[in-house]
């Protein structure tokens, strides 16, 4: 199946710094990408939907100025957590949807803010 | 997207068949039913997708009754490695609409 690669797999950063997470579709063009966050033993919570070349659509309660999403090409979307705080520590997952029936997920990024 | 309801958790033993049912009473005409599997600290992985009746692949079967208001994921002869969370989603394919995850079913397989 299609491959979606997320980088980094894990990151530890200091409180107040920014962290960028990349999501790449390796063998298909992703017109739409989704960003999720997941807390321990909870389901995936959709944060935002990004379409190539346009602004992301954020879900209610998600701060767009804190979670910056850029979808500059059909194979790359980035999520930047700005001024990270310990409560931002979570598992972040991206998903890419091409022209087919299914969405493909990255392996996730474990963010720990200390 | 249609809301889905699944059991929170299920237990099984190795070698048994496991059936996980998902309710989606408000499923729309163009919606498909898709099941994903997630292991700890990994992204979800596609298992199977169907529209009606029965779909089978190398890892699972999906049973969908005529009214399509529910579906059942069947895992034959589970092993310890099938311990994971299983999510049922409904939505229209070839659509950029967002994917909303429900609570999922946490399957624990014992030896």
């Amino acid at each position: 199946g299609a491959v979606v690669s997320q980088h980094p797999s894990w990151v530890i950063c200091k409180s107040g710094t920014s962290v960028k997470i990349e999501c790449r579709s390796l063998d298909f063009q992703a017109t739409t990408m989704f960003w999720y966050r997941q807390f321990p033993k909870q389901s995936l919570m959709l944060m935002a939907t990004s379409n190539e070349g346009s602004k992301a659509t954020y879900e209610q309660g998600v701060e767009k100025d804190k979670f910056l999403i850029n979808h500059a090409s059909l194979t790359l979307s980035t999520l930047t957590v700005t001024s990270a705080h310990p409560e931002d520590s979570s598992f972040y997952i991206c998903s890419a949807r091409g022209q087919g029936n299914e969405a493909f997920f990255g392996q996730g990024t474990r963010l720990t803010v200390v | 997207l249609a809301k889905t309801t699944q059991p929170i958790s299920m237990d099984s033993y190795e070698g048994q068949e496991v059936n996980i049912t998902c309710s989606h009473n408000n499923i729309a005409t163009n919606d498909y039913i898709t099941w994903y599997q997630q292991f700890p600290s990994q992204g979800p992985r596609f298992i199977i997708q169907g529209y009606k009746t029965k779909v089978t692949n190398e890892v699972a079967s999906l049973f969908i009754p005529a009214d399509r208001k529910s579906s059942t994921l069947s895992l034959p002869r589970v092993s310890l490695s099938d311990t994971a969370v299983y999510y049922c989603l409904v939505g229209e394919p070839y659509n950029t609409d967002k994917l909303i995850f429900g609570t999922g079913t946490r399957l624990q397989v014992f030896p």
Side-chain angles (χ1 to χ4, degrees), chain B residues 27-40:
Chain B
I27 190 169
T29 302
N30 294 331
D31 286 342
Y32 278 64
I33 301 152
T34 310
W35 285 80
Y36 289 89
Q37 176 192 55
Q38 187 184 26
F39 296 113

Side-chain angles (χ1 to χ4, degrees), chain A residues 23-26 28-30 33 52 71-77:
Chain A
C23 180
R24 295 181 184 272
S25 56
L26 298 185
F28 68 103
Q29 292 184 329
M33 287 186 173
E52 184 266 338
H71 193 161
S73 76
L74 286 172
T75 59
L76 173 65
S77 176

Side-chain angles (χ1 to χ4, degrees), chain A residues 31-32 34 36 38 40-46 49 51 59 91 93 95 97-108 110, chain B residues 1 32 34 36 38-46 49 87 89 91-104 106:
Chain A
T31 53
T32 303
F34 306 93
Y36 298 83
Q38 185 177 33
K41 297 192 182 300
Q42 293 187 23
S43 183
L44 285 76
M45 185 191 79
L46 180 66
T49 303
N51 293 299
E59 294 299 300
F91 191 56
I93 306 169
S95 173
R97 203 167 196 171
Q99 299 298 316
N101 280 350
E102 60 193 83
F104 301 96
F105 290 83
Q107 69 270 39
R110 173 77 57 195
Chain B
L1 289 177
Y32 278 64
T34 310
Y36 289 89
Q38 187 184 26
F39 296 113
S41 296
Q42 293 187 28
R45 183 176 72 100
F46 172 89
Q49 184 182 74
Y87 294 96
L89 281 74
E92 186 175 342
Y94 302 106
N95 191 323
T96 57
D97 201 7
K98 50 193 178 184
L99 295 173
I100 303 296
F101 282 75
T103 57
R106 189 173 298 275

Side-chain angles (χ1 to χ4, degrees), chain B residues 5-91:
Chain B
T5 303
Q6 302 174 234
I8 296 296
S9 64
M10 294 182 69
D11 291 336
S12 183
Y13 291 92
E14 282 191 294
Q16 289 188 333
E17 177 184 79
V18 171
N19 296 309
I20 306 175
T21 298
C22 178
S23 297
H24 29 80
N25 292 319
N26 298 321
I27 190 169
T29 302
N30 294 331
D31 286 342
Y32 278 64
I33 301 152
T34 310
W35 285 80
Y36 289 89
Q37 176 192 55
Q38 187 184 26
F39 296 113
S41 296
Q42 293 187 28
R45 183 176 72 100
F46 172 89
I47 301 176
I48 197 167
Q49 184 182 74
Y51 183 81
K52 62 180 180 181
T53 61
K54 177 183 175 182
V55 179
T56 297
N57 61 23
E58 62 275 9
V59 297
S61 294
L62 178 59
F63 298 92
I64 306 168
D67 65 5
R68 304 201 326 121
K69 293 184 183 299
S70 67
S71 59
T72 300
L73 174 72
S74 180
L75 305 173
R77 298 179 299 282
V78 295
S79 62
L80 295 176
S81 62
D82 292 316
T83 294
V85 179
Y86 293 82
Y87 294 96
C88 160
L89 281 74
V90 295

Side-chain angles (χ1 to χ4, degrees), chain A residues 37-113:
Chain A
R37 64 188 298 182
Q38 185 177 33
F39 293 106
K41 297 192 182 300
Q42 293 187 23
S43 183
L44 285 76
M45 185 191 79
L46 180 66
M47 299 175 66
T49 303
S50 72
N51 293 299
E52 184 266 338
S54 61
K55 289 184 178 180
T57 302
Y58 290 82
E59 294 299 300
Q60 189 173 9
V62 179
E63 300 175 59
K64 63 180 181 180
D65 294 330
K66 180 168 184 62
F67 299 100
L68 301 178
I69 293 173
N70 184 282
H71 193 161
S73 76
L74 286 172
T75 59
L76 173 65
S77 176
T78 60
L79 167 67
T80 301
V81 183
T82 63
S83 187
H85 291 284
E87 57 265 31
D88 298 323
S89 297
S90 189
F91 191 56
Y92 292 86
I93 306 169
C94 73
S95 173
R97 203 167 196 171
Q99 299 298 316
N101 280 350
E102 60 193 83
F104 301 96
F105 290 83
Q107 69 270 39
T109 298
R110 173 77 57 195
L111 169 63
T112 302
V113 184

